[in-house]
Amino acid sequence: MSTPRLRDKTAIITGATGGIGEATAKMFLQEGANVMLVGRSEEKLRATRDRLAAGKRAAISVADAADEKATAAAVAATVQTFGGVDILFANAGMEGIVKNIEDVAMQDFERLLRTNVLGVWLGMKHCVAPMKKRGGGSMITVGSIASVVGFPGLGPYIASKHAVYGLTKTAAMELGGLRIRVNAIGPGPIDNRMTQSLGNQMSPDDPKGFREQFSNTIAMKRYGTNEEVASLALFLASDESSYCTGGIFMIDGGFAAA
Ligand SMILES: NC(=O)c1ccc[n+]([C@@H]2O[C@H](COP(=O)([O-])OP(=O)(O)OC[C@H]3O[C@@H](n4cnc5c(N)ncnc54)[C@H](OP(=O)(O)O)[C@@H]3O)[C@@H](O)[C@H]2O)c1
């Protein structure tokens, strides 16, 4: 039997109640990690933990991504429960409302930036000290194709995901000497709630047609799966990616190659 790829490691997963978050938690647990599931709804976190059925290797902590106190408490709870932190999967994020630049309301833009940008920064900020104690670690942020291209109607989301990539590169440069690696994942459309919401907003009368049209702009002509994204997160979390830092790893069926 092969050695589990995350044996003796502890991971924090934000947005653990969502499609990509839960699939990643499942894979990390299968590969031997302890996992702290972080989310904003205690009820959803409990349900996720129950589905994962990993006993004491999965714990939960309630934190809004943009709440610094709650994020610091989630990191502290991880150290207390599992003895340290090796991996941060900064995955919590929202798509927001689809509107052109001239129609976006201030509070909607701010809310999205708080979750998608400040949330990622806060996770990084509070994981540095425990990772230093461990002598290294891996931070994985969730960017998007929206980190590298624009898209009409998605100004706040696009701005937030470009910012995630910028933060990732900066953190990689600051933390490389401490053996803390920082990489971004850049998913294309993934077959889950978020993409459904975007399809419904972009094309309320024909979300199916929107999906078909969008799929045709992807080299592989299909949406990806939560599990495909989780596999990439697993590679970046594990020691197999020991010389990877500061990169954005696209997982988009070739969308951004166009
Ligand atoms: N789906 C895609 O096609 C796609 C493509 C590229 C990138 N991404 C990125 O992938 C990440 C995960 O999204 P997903 O696709 O798995 O969608 P999802 O199922 O909607 O998951 C989003 C997760 O983020 C959490 N979240 C949202 N706002 C939060 C807040 N203020 N505080 C704490 N948690 C919050 C959600 O919690 P609740 O369950 O409580 O709502 C949920 O757990 C996001 O960063 C997203 O931008 C997704």
Side-chain angles (χ1 to χ4, degrees):
M1 226 169 64
S2 58
T3 311
R5 292 158 76 186
L6 301 181
R7 191 173 68 175
D8 300 330
K9 306 231 191 238
T10 291
I12 294 176
I13 297 183
T14 71
T17 54
I20 292 172
E22 180 171 338
T24 304
K26 189 172 176 189
M27 219 170 265
F28 282 14
L29 286 162
Q30 277 165 356
E31 291 295 336
N34 298 313
V35 176
M36 178 60 81
L37 308 164
V38 183
R40 58 184 167 174
S41 151
E42 184 166 358
E43 199 185 330
K44 279 194 189 177
L45 280 170
R46 284 182 190 281
T48 305
R49 184 187 56 188
D50 291 350
R51 277 195 300 277
L52 291 168
K56 289 193 170 154
R57 288 199 298 119
I60 61 171
S61 190
V62 180
D64 188 285
D67 181 336
E68 178 156 21
K69 259 195 186 164
T71 301
V75 175
T78 309
V79 173
Q80 194 172 21
T81 309
F82 298 122
V85 181
D86 305 286
I87 298 154
L88 167 68
F89 187 50
N91 161 72
M94 59 183 286
E95 69 281 18
I97 298 167
V98 177
K99 275 190 179 157
N100 286 347
I101 300 277
E102 63 184 322
D103 300 318
V104 178
M106 185 77 172
Q107 75 262 25
D108 290 338
F109 207 142
E110 274 181 358
R111 183 163 160 250
L112 190 138
L113 288 182
R114 289 182 70 75
T115 300
N116 290 12
V117 183
L118 298 190
V120 170
W121 161 67
L122 286 173
M124 288 176 166
K125 176 178 175 179
H126 290 281
C127 282
V128 170
M131 285 187 181
K132 267 190 198 170
K133 272 201 180 153
R134 288 284 230 221
S138 173
M139 296 183 181
I140 304 146
T141 62
V142 181
S144 166
I145 47 175
S147 297
V148 296
V149 301
F151 205 96
L154 283 181
Y157 187 74
I158 297 280
S160 76
K161 293 300 186 181
H162 273 65
V164 166
Y165 184 24
L167 262 176
T168 302
K169 289 190 278 190
T170 304
M173 293 175 80
E174 290 180 4
L175 302 172
L178 298 166
R179 301 186 58 225
I180 300 172
R181 300 182 294 103
V182 191
N183 291 289
I185 283 179
I190 303 304
D191 208 353
N192 67 20
R193 187 212 64 80
M194 188 175 284
T195 315
Q196 262 163 28
S197 158
L198 286 170
N200 290 339
Q201 291 191 65
M202 300 241 180
S203 179
D205 299 332
D206 186 15
K208 259 192 173 170
F210 174 81
R211 183 187 171 120
E212 259 175 50
Q213 265 187 333
F214 197 11
S215 295
N216 276 328
T217 65
I218 301 167
M220 293 184 72
K221 309 290 179 209
R222 68 168 176 89
Y223 285 11
T225 67
N226 294 319
E227 289 71 25
E228 285 172 318
V229 180
S231 293
L232 178 56
L234 173 60
F235 167 71
L236 291 170
S238 76
D239 294 339
E240 289 155 33
S241 57
S242 53
Y243 198 50
C244 298
T245 200
I248 183 160
F249 291 75
M250 303 312 293
I251 175 152
D252 65 349
F255 176 86

